[in-house]
Amino acid sequence: MEVITLNNGVEMPQLGFGVWQVPDGEAEKAVTTALETGYRSIDTAKLYYNEEGVGRAIRASGLPREELFVTTKLWNDEHEYDKALRAFDESMERLGLDVLDLYLIHWPVPSRGKYVDAWKALEKLYADGRVRAIGVSNFTIKTLQHLFEETGVVPAVNQIELHPQFPQKDLRDFHAEHGIATEAWSPLGQGQGLLDLPELAEIGAAHGKSPAQVVLRWHLQLGNVVIPKSVTPERIAENIDVFDFRLDDAEMAAIDALDNGRRLGPDPATFAWMG
Ligand code: NDP
C-alpha cells in the first residue's frame, strides 16, 4: 500500500475505506471485508454512528494495531475545549482503542466561531499521545488561515469534498504550499452521475479498468489521500485494485476537464448543522 508522510512524520495509507451512511449493524461486515481485502485505513466519525461496528471489525480482524490507521472526527456541537476532550474519550470508548491515528474537526462551522477552541483540545490530545496526528475537515483557505494565525500550528490533513467534477485546485495548491495533506471525501462523486460519464469508460477501456478505478487512479496521481466507500464486496475489491496501472498526461487532463464546479455536499463556509 502506498503511503503519504504527514507533516509530523506519521505515515498514512494513501487509500482507505470510508463508512459514512453505513449503519452500525452493517459496518462490522463491511469493514471486515475491507480489512480482508487489504485496506488498512478506516475513516469514520462520531456522526456516522458506526464507531462501535468499526471497532468490532478491528478487534475481530486480529491485525496488529500498528498495521491499522483509524480516523474519526469531532462533531459540530462539541467544539468547546472540555466538550471536545470528552467527545474524544467517548469516540475511543466506542472504537475500543487506546490511541487514535488521526482526529479531525469535522466542519469549521464559522458561524459558531469555536473551531479554534476545538483545535486547542486536539493539540492537547496530541501532546498527551492520545492521537498520532491531528487535522481538520471541510476547512476553506479562510478558515485555515485563521487557524494558523490563532494557533501557529498547521493541521496534518484537510479532508474535503474532491472528485473530478469538483477538483478544488486552489485549495489543493494552498495545502501543498503549507504542508497539509489533501484527503478527498466522496472521491467517486458518490457513485452515480460521475461514474456514468463516457470519458471515464473510454479511459478505463484502454487499461482494462472500471470508471471508479480510473477516478481513484486520478486522485492517487494528484497525491490525494482517498477513502472510497462501498458495502459491496466486489466494489470493495475493485476500489483497491488501482496500483498496477498509470494514467498518462492526456488522460489526466481529460479527467481534469470534467470539472463542473458543482459541490455534492454542503458549502463549508455556511454549513452549521448540529445533527
Ligand atoms: P464515494 O464517492 O466513496 O461513493 C460511494 C458510493 O459509490 C456508494 O453509493 C457506493 O455504492 C458507490 N460505489 C463505490 N464503489 C463503486 C464502484 N467501484 N463502482 C460503482 N459504484 C461504486 O462517497 P462517500 O460520500 O461515501 O465518500 C467516501 C467517504 O468519505 C465516506 O464514506 C466518509 O468516510 C467520507 N466523507 C467525509 C465527509 C466529511 O464531511 N468529512 C463527507 C462525506 C464523506 P455501494 O456502497 O452500494 O457499493
Side-chain angles (χ1 to χ4, degrees):
M1 173 65 67
E2 309 285 325
V3 295
I4 291 274
T5 303
L6 303 179
N7 60 17
N8 67 347
V10 165
E11 291 186 338
M12 175 174 192
Q14 201 180 354
L15 189 144
F17 188 66
V19 294
W20 178 44
Q21 293 178 316
V22 182
D24 192 66
E26 291 169 38
E28 180 175 353
K29 188 161 162 255
V31 173
T32 296
T33 305
L35 294 175
E36 284 171 359
T37 313
Y39 292 75
R40 290 294 176 265
S41 170
I42 310 295
D43 181 83
T44 183
K46 178 196 175 181
L47 194 83
Y48 302 169
Y49 299 105
N50 56 22
E51 290 172 313
E52 289 182 5
V54 169
R56 284 194 298 275
I58 289 172
R59 282 190 299 285
S61 75
L63 288 165
R65 175 66 186 90
E66 62 275 15
E67 283 188 21
L68 295 170
F69 191 99
V70 183
T71 301
T72 194
K73 313 186 192 85
L74 176 74
W75 186 240
N76 297 346
D77 60 354
E78 294 168 323
H79 284 190
E80 294 77 7
Y81 183 84
D82 289 336
K83 261 194 182 176
L85 294 178
R86 255 196 323 274
F88 178 83
D89 285 340
E90 288 163 7
S91 279
M92 296 298 275
E93 182 86 7
R94 286 188 291 269
L95 286 163
L97 298 176
D98 297 326
V99 176
L100 187 70
D101 297 287
L102 179 64
Y103 199 39
L104 304 178
I105 300 176
H106 205 145
W107 293 87
V109 199
S111 58
R112 281 196 81 208
K114 293 263 182 237
Y115 59 81
V116 172
D117 294 351
W119 183 257
K120 289 184 177 156
L122 266 59
E123 280 183 27
K124 160 89 175 132
L125 294 165
Y126 181 66
D128 290 349
R130 308 282 320 274
V131 55
R132 297 172 65 228
I134 52 177
V136 295
S137 177
N138 297 302
F139 273 48
T140 57
I141 290 179
K142 196 170 158 194
T143 43
L144 282 170
Q145 273 169 335
H146 183 237
L147 193 65
F148 299 165
E149 282 159 19
E150 294 291 322
T151 68
V153 182
V154 177
V157 170
N158 189 15
Q159 184 184 114
I160 55 171
E161 177 176 348
L162 202 175
H163 42 78
Q165 290 177 313
F166 195 66
Q168 301 249 42
K169 172 103 175 66
D170 291 349
L171 191 46
R172 277 192 284 121
D173 289 347
F174 183 84
H175 291 164
E177 207 179 297
H178 293 275
I180 301 170
T182 298
E183 183 171 18
W185 65 250
S186 295
L188 300 173
Q190 299 177 0
Q192 293 151 348
L194 174 66
L195 299 184
D196 299 329
L197 294 177
E199 292 88 340
L200 296 174
E202 195 183 313
I203 295 170
H207 296 275
K209 293 287 181 181
S210 69
Q213 289 171 319
V214 168
V215 170
L216 292 170
R217 190 67 221 167
W218 172 83
H219 281 286
L220 296 174
Q221 289 183 214
L222 289 180
N224 301 337
V225 176
V226 278
I227 43 170
K229 170 263 176 188
S230 177
V231 293
T232 314
E234 298 72 32
R235 290 174 172 174
I236 292 174
E238 180 183 324
N239 294 346
I240 200 177
D241 182 18
V242 290
F243 294 98
D244 60 351
F245 74 111
R246 211 175 157 77
L247 302 170
D248 66 22
D249 291 348
E251 290 168 329
M252 289 294 285
I255 302 169
D256 290 340
L258 300 176
D259 181 3
N260 65 12
R262 279 204 294 274
R263 292 181 185 278
L264 297 168
D267 184 344
T270 52
F271 186 66
W273 187 56
M274 292 295 142

